[in-house]
Amino acid sequence: MDFILEPWPWYVGGPLITLIMFFLYYFGKKFGISSNLESICAMGGAGKLHEFFAFDWKKNSWNLMFIVGTVIGGFIAFKFMTPDQAILLNPETVTDLADIGFQNAGAQYLPEELFGLDALLSLKGGAILVIAGILVGFGARYAGGCTSGHAITGLSNLELPSLIAVIGFFIGGLIMTWLILPLLF
Amino acid sequence: MKNIRFIILGILFGIILSKAEVISWYRIYEMFKFQSFHMYGIIGSAVVLGIILFSFFKKGTIKNYLGDKIEIEPKKKGFYRTIIGGIIFGLGWGLIGACPGPMFILLGRGVLSILIVIFGGLLGVLLYHIIKHKLPH
């Protein structure tokens, strides 16, 4: 039982993700999370704004149920399966983060500096949250998929577009982490 | 309620990404800093096993629950859409440390701020479809 409560290593997490992908295909579906954002827009009446969203989102209800499940799963893991909320980081990472203004790196899953109430209620913090969301949503649909659709499914299927997209994910992530984040904090 | 199986798979997926700490902003940060093998191990092992799994789908060794061959829909082609879209996505991923799956999982932890990120994500999707005819694909 102790193993369940400890952080799971990569060689447990990675294969289990593939197992989830297997079951989605076994049940006649696919593995792709970001298309749910389109379904939610359609559900919310975005069909009035743009014809693209006039599709019948109910045909994607299986995928919406999947993300409802992820919310429940996140709650269960948080409440009952993670007695220690610390993330064990490389000391170098902790020092690097302290240098750019992130205190107590790894004390919890998320940094207060980005997700805390103070950040949420400040103009800069709120703007960062909205802009990050816009970049993720816009980029995922422009590229035709996110980490699940491109990095996992697409690469598993040896798709060239997915390889290009994943290279793009890394270019963007490296620019943000190395160049922009230090300027923001 | 045929969809109950997808809720269960979603619950398991939420638990897996939580316990493997994929939903932690720090794990994404350290990945882009090349300071830990963790995320590379997760994505790498998932893809290697995925390649093996998909080869069984293609050969027809593994069929779906109805006994039919499993088809994998090819991705949309286009250099500009994948590279530019990918970079934009990466900028957001590097900033907030959460891609769409983890956003919803973090919501389950009661992280209020993530609602703003999800709201931004929906805005981004809307914006893309409104201006997509002006973008190179």
Side-chain angles (χ1 to χ4, degrees):
Chain A
M1 262 316 269
D2 280 356
F3 174 77
I4 303 254
L5 300 178
E6 303 269 320
W8 295 359
W10 63 264
Y11 50 83
V12 173
L16 286 176
I17 292 172
T18 312
L19 189 68
I20 297 294
M21 179 166 75
F22 162 73
F23 277 114
L24 288 171
Y25 277 98
Y26 180 75
F27 289 128
K29 309 297 183 194
K30 63 190 175 78
F31 183 43
I33 312 277
S34 70
S35 55
N36 284 305
L37 296 173
E38 291 172 344
S39 301
I40 296 171
C41 287
M43 195 164 66
K48 292 188 196 87
L49 274 171
H50 191 279
E51 62 197 13
F52 171 84
F53 294 102
F55 66 87
D56 177 21
W57 57 269
K58 288 194 181 110
K59 70 180 179 356
N60 297 333
S61 55
W62 68 271
N63 210 352
L64 291 165
M65 288 299 116
F66 184 80
I67 58 164
V68 168
T70 66
V71 177
I72 302 169
F75 174 78
I76 293 172
F78 176 58
K79 277 281 178 207
F80 309 111
M81 297 173 70
T82 318
D84 184 359
Q85 293 289 324
I87 302 280
L88 194 64
L89 295 172
N90 183 336
E92 241 180 279
T93 312
V94 178
T95 317
D96 286 0
L97 280 167
D99 285 347
I100 62 167
F102 283 75
Q103 303 310 316
N104 305 317
Q108 295 173 322
Y109 268 49
L110 302 174
E112 280 291 309
E113 287 81 357
L114 277 164
F115 294 92
L117 209 56
D118 286 348
L120 175 63
L121 298 176
S122 73
L123 188 64
K124 181 181 133 189
I128 287 176
L129 295 169
V130 180
I131 292 167
I134 292 175
L135 291 169
V136 169
F138 188 97
R141 294 329 298 159
Y142 191 5
C146 59
T147 329
S148 54
H150 269 314
I152 311 270
T153 309
L155 290 186
S156 292
N157 200 30
L158 306 175
E159 295 249 16
L160 183 63
S162 295
L163 182 63
I164 301 170
V166 172
I167 291 170
F169 294 173
F170 263 82
I171 296 173
L174 291 173
I175 293 173
M176 180 54 69
T177 304
W178 290 83
L179 304 177
I180 306 179
L181 264 181
L183 297 178
L184 287 176
F185 290 92
Chain B
M1 191 65 183
K2 203 176 64 168
N3 281 336
I4 194 94
R5 63 181 71 154
F6 298 110
I7 299 186
I8 294 167
L9 285 175
I11 291 174
L12 294 174
F13 188 65
I15 291 173
I16 294 162
L17 292 204
S18 298
K19 289 301 305 174
E21 300 176 341
V22 175
I23 59 167
S24 168
W25 182 88
Y26 297 109
R27 290 280 175 238
I28 307 305
Y29 177 83
E30 68 176 13
M31 169 179 77
F32 286 128
K33 287 286 259 183
F34 305 106
Q35 285 168 337
S36 165
F37 179 72
H38 188 77
M39 284 305 303
Y40 295 98
I42 288 185
I43 297 174
S45 62
V47 170
V48 169
L49 290 172
I51 291 171
I52 298 168
L53 178 69
F54 281 16
S55 75
F56 286 125
F57 288 173
K58 284 168 201 165
K59 274 187 252 166
T61 323
I62 299 177
K63 295 188 162 56
N64 72 13
Y65 76 119
L66 296 169
D68 296 329
K69 189 166 187 287
I70 296 173
E71 301 287 349
I72 302 143
E73 199 186 329
K75 283 283 172 192
K76 287 175 188 146
K77 296 205 169 21
F79 178 73
Y80 292 112
R81 73 176 303 154
T82 41
I83 194 74
I84 304 171
I87 291 172
I88 295 171
F89 177 87
L91 287 167
W93 193 19
L95 178 54
I96 212 62
C99 44
M103 284 182 193
F104 291 100
I105 300 170
L106 288 170
L107 190 59
R109 297 172 74 86
V111 180
L112 210 56
S113 312
I114 210 72
L115 275 175
I116 308 292
V117 183
I118 294 173
F119 172 73
L122 297 173
L123 274 184
V125 168
L126 270 176
L127 189 66
Y128 166 66
H129 285 288
I130 289 169
I131 66 166
K132 66 182 169 191
H133 62 280
K134 293 187 181 134
L135 300 170
H137 279 85

